Amino acid sequence: MNKNDYGFPDGFLWGGALAANQCEGAARENDKGWSTADALTQGVFGPVSIPPEGFYLKAEGIDFYHRYKEDLALLTEMGIQVLRVSIAWSRIFPNGDEEIPNEAGLAFYDQLFAETERQGIQPLVTLSHYEMPLHLATAYGGWQDRRLIDFFARYAQTVFERYKDRVKYWLTFNEINMVLHAPFNGAGIQGDPKEIDKGVLWQAVHHQLVASALATKIGHEVNPDFHIGCMIAGSPVYPLTPAPEDVLEAMRKDRDSLFFADVHARGRYPGYMLRYFREQGIDLEITSEDEELLHHTVDFISISYYMSYCATADPAKNIQSMGNIMSAVKNPYLEESAWGWQIDPKGLRYILNQLYDRYQFPIFIVENGLGARDTLMPDGQGSFTVEDDYRIDYVAAHLRQIHEAIQDGVEVLGYTTWGIIDLVSNTSNQMSKRYGFIYVDRNDDGSGSLKRYKKKSFGWYQQVIATNGASLFR
Ligand code: BGP
């Protein structure tokens, strides 16, 4: 890779990210089964509705299922090179435990990936982005059941073989470290995370880690050219003060996430986690076959990045700030979004360096963006737009820090901004929390034409891509 002072490396992949359950809609079309995402009709922390009842936005999403050609045409006009999407497992195996996949579900992604190929866009595909067939949650208790490893492996094998000529970049589980904080969202386990037995949760985590390694093994067998990555919610943890107790607390909290990358990159459990299990009396079932499988490490690490956190050992200083799925100690030096997420572009440079120092694996930033309320207004040319300078400022500041990290020597594969087209929020199930560079006319009550409009950020990002990042420094 050639680098210059104001550009990004040659081959750096610019793009956007979406997830099936937040954009596709068509919740029951072509024999799709219910997914756990359907059951969270009011957001990640709402009640679990089995079966899903009443109105919920994800049932129709932004109708990407029927409008993907129009959307890909707009994204091609923007110039993106990579589009992160996910496959809805419940389209392929509606119940999750069948032997034979649903042909109609497979056919949809055939068409989608044929279209990305036609448009010259590289797909980056997540196997499980916060969803799994709902039946696996109700009949098996989700990932606490070891049999899910085989169900997931069958699903992975099926889609790897089917799309091997059109998809090269894969991710196993979205934000796998969030299972601990939202167990139904991440692992189909019902109940309050604080009340679920720790042993049950960690056993589910272990099953997912083994399943991720097994999928990586299978993927490399199906096509040795595959690049398969893990995906963690990346939020570095700073000590609130230089008190040694705070520094240690920050290290401990940081390891809640780093642990997942450690296993994916090193192929074994780190000593600090074995100590934790010992001291908590958690006795996991880890077979020697599991240990063997974990050796199938990933090719790269991917992260979402929205914020950093602080940690303190002093309860009196523990003022909480809202975060993505989890909350943490508020950093007094940072501003926050309208949803209370603290904004810290430099934290992205920090975590990229931290991960690269730790593993020397290439890193892909597969989510980053600003959730904000937008106002649609006439664009003076007979259509509508959004003057979203706040979003441009946010993304530009983060991209400049990625550039810094690259100058620091970190190998960064690419950047896919989150929700490049407005979609349904994961935590709050709102449309009004918008991330896109493309506006979708849909409101929280489900009204709206679903028409797409280019925001100001559309043209701005088009320039960034066309200049390979150099326009960020003009
Ligand atoms: C990540 C999820 C995404 C996405 C994003 C923004 O945790 O991987 O699916 O939703 O956060 O979160 P939200 O939609 O809650 O604003």
Side-chain angles (χ1 to χ4, degrees):
M1 283 191 180
N2 295 323
K3 288 175 206 153
N4 66 52
D5 285 350
Y6 299 107
F8 280 63
D10 293 343
F12 185 88
L13 290 166
W14 296 96
L18 303 169
N21 77 86
Q22 292 167 261
C23 73
E24 284 179 2
R28 299 290 275 171
E29 212 160 308
N30 286 322
D31 297 325
K32 177 182 174 298
W34 289 123
S35 82
T36 45
D38 290 304
L40 289 169
T41 56
Q42 293 168 49
V44 167
F45 299 109
V48 175
S49 173
I50 299 175
E53 273 173 354
F55 166 79
Y56 65 101
L57 277 170
K58 285 181 173 179
E60 197 183 352
I62 56 162
D63 197 31
F64 182 75
Y65 190 82
H66 299 110
R67 293 168 196 249
Y68 67 89
K69 283 193 182 155
E70 177 196 337
D71 287 337
L72 289 176
L74 275 170
L75 294 171
T76 301
E77 186 186 333
M78 204 189 289
I80 71 158
Q81 297 147 351
V82 56
L83 180 64
R84 178 178 176 223
V85 292
S86 66
I87 295 177
W89 182 354
S90 55
R91 285 199 196 285
I92 312 301
F93 289 97
N95 284 325
D97 56 1
E98 303 92 334
E99 302 268 328
I100 309 290
N102 170 30
E103 181 54 36
L106 287 165
F108 169 68
Y109 295 103
D110 277 336
Q111 292 154 22
L112 176 64
F113 299 139
E115 191 62 19
T116 48
E117 188 174 82
R118 213 175 65 75
Q119 304 268 358
I121 295 173
Q122 174 99 247
L124 163 62
V125 178
T126 316
L127 292 172
S128 179
H129 190 127
Y130 285 158
E131 62 184 322
M132 55 195 277
L134 186 56
H135 174 73
L136 296 182
T138 52
Y140 297 85
W143 278 94
Q144 62 185 295
D145 192 311
R146 180 172 275 278
R147 286 172 289 182
L148 265 77
I149 299 173
D150 290 335
F151 299 147
F152 185 76
R154 186 182 302 151
Y155 158 60
Q157 176 115 33
T158 304
V159 296
F160 284 155
E161 278 172 3
R162 183 82 169 214
Y163 310 121
K164 65 175 185 296
D165 298 325
R166 289 199 161 125
V167 180
K168 290 278 178 303
Y169 287 92
W170 298 89
L171 303 177
T172 52
F173 292 93
N174 181 64
E175 293 187 340
I176 187 167
N177 49 322
M178 284 296 124
V179 169
L180 299 172
H181 309 283
F184 189 77
N185 186 56
I189 300 173
Q190 294 190 58
D192 181 337
K194 288 185 209 83
E195 280 158 25
I196 299 172
D197 180 76
K198 280 205 181 78
V200 168
L201 257 190
W202 280 105
Q203 190 66 50
V205 165
H206 174 70
H207 293 152
Q208 284 199 339
L209 288 168
V210 172
S212 181
L214 178 54
T216 305
K217 171 179 183 287
I218 294 169
H220 287 148
E221 285 162 5
V222 170
N223 185 346
D225 291 337
F226 278 176
H227 299 282
I228 305 174
C230 60
M231 198 300 206
I232 59 168
S235 296
V237 186
Y238 308 147
L240 187 65
T241 75
E245 294 76 12
D246 282 4
V247 175
L248 283 177
E249 183 61 11
M251 180 180 85
R252 196 186 63 72
K253 284 256 159 60
D254 227 5
R255 283 174 167 175
D256 282 352
S257 306
L258 291 172
F259 158 72
F260 291 84
D262 280 354
V263 177
H264 277 99
R266 295 173 173 157
R268 60 190 148 74
Y269 278 37
Y272 63 83
M273 196 48 80
L274 299 177
R275 174 181 183 173
Y276 171 80
F277 292 149
R278 238 178 6 252
E279 291 180 352
Q280 295 287 318
I282 296 171
D283 188 16
L284 294 188
E285 187 203 20
I286 302 178
T287 66
S288 50
E289 198 194 352
D290 292 348
E291 284 172 343
E292 272 301 303
L293 282 173
L294 289 178
H295 293 151
H296 292 272
T297 52
V298 288
D299 303 309
F300 67 96
I301 290 174
S302 79
I303 58 167
S304 60
Y305 180 79
Y306 296 94
M307 70 203 70
S308 56
Y309 291 125
C310 283
T312 177
D314 181 351
K317 297 204 181 106
N318 193 340
I319 300 161
Q320 293 280 302
S321 156
M322 282 304 296
N324 182 11
I325 298 186
M326 58 181 272
S327 60
V329 178
K330 201 179 180 89
N331 185 330
Y333 295 97
L334 300 177
E335 293 183 353
E336 58 190 34
S337 78
W339 274 262
W341 294 17
Q342 290 205 293
I343 299 171
D344 180 17
K346 291 193 175 81
L348 179 51
R349 176 182 180 182
Y350 178 85
I351 192 172
L352 288 171
N353 274 279
Q354 181 192 32
L355 292 171
Y356 198 70
D357 284 353
R358 202 170 170 106
Y359 310 114
Q360 289 84 51
F361 275 44
I363 306 171
F364 213 133
I365 300 131
V366 297
E367 279 187 39
N368 170 245
L370 178 69
R373 287 197 177 82
D374 288 342
T375 308
L376 197 63
M377 54 175 70
D379 69 350
Q381 292 162 34
S383 187
F384 292 90
T385 189
V386 176
E387 297 278 330
D388 57 343
D389 294 280
Y390 39 90
R391 182 170 293 111
I392 293 171
D393 291 347
Y394 178 102
V395 176
H398 286 79
L399 287 173
R400 290 192 194 102
Q401 292 302 320
I402 294 171
H403 186 261
E404 289 290 338
I406 292 169
Q407 301 297 311
D408 292 335
V410 180
E411 201 182 334
V412 184
L413 295 171
Y415 174 86
T416 57
T417 191
W418 173 250
I420 190 157
I421 310 172
D422 289 345
L423 37 56
V424 183
S425 143
N426 181 53
T427 43
S428 63
N429 264 28
Q430 293 168 299
M431 267 311 294
S432 52
K433 189 180 188 189
R434 298 174 180 276
Y435 287 86
F437 298 164
I438 296 170
Y439 185 93
V440 176
D441 178 21
R442 191 163 196 231
N443 306 308
D444 288 347
D445 62 3
S447 62
S449 64
L450 286 166
K451 273 186 76 170
R452 277 57 168 157
Y453 298 99
K454 295 175 199 168
K455 303 183 192 177
K456 186 174 178 184
S457 48
F458 183 105
W460 170 81
Y461 198 47
Q462 195 176 40
Q463 266 304 105
V464 172
I465 298 172
T467 61
N468 198 27
S471 65
L472 292 163
F473 302 95
R474 284 181 193 143

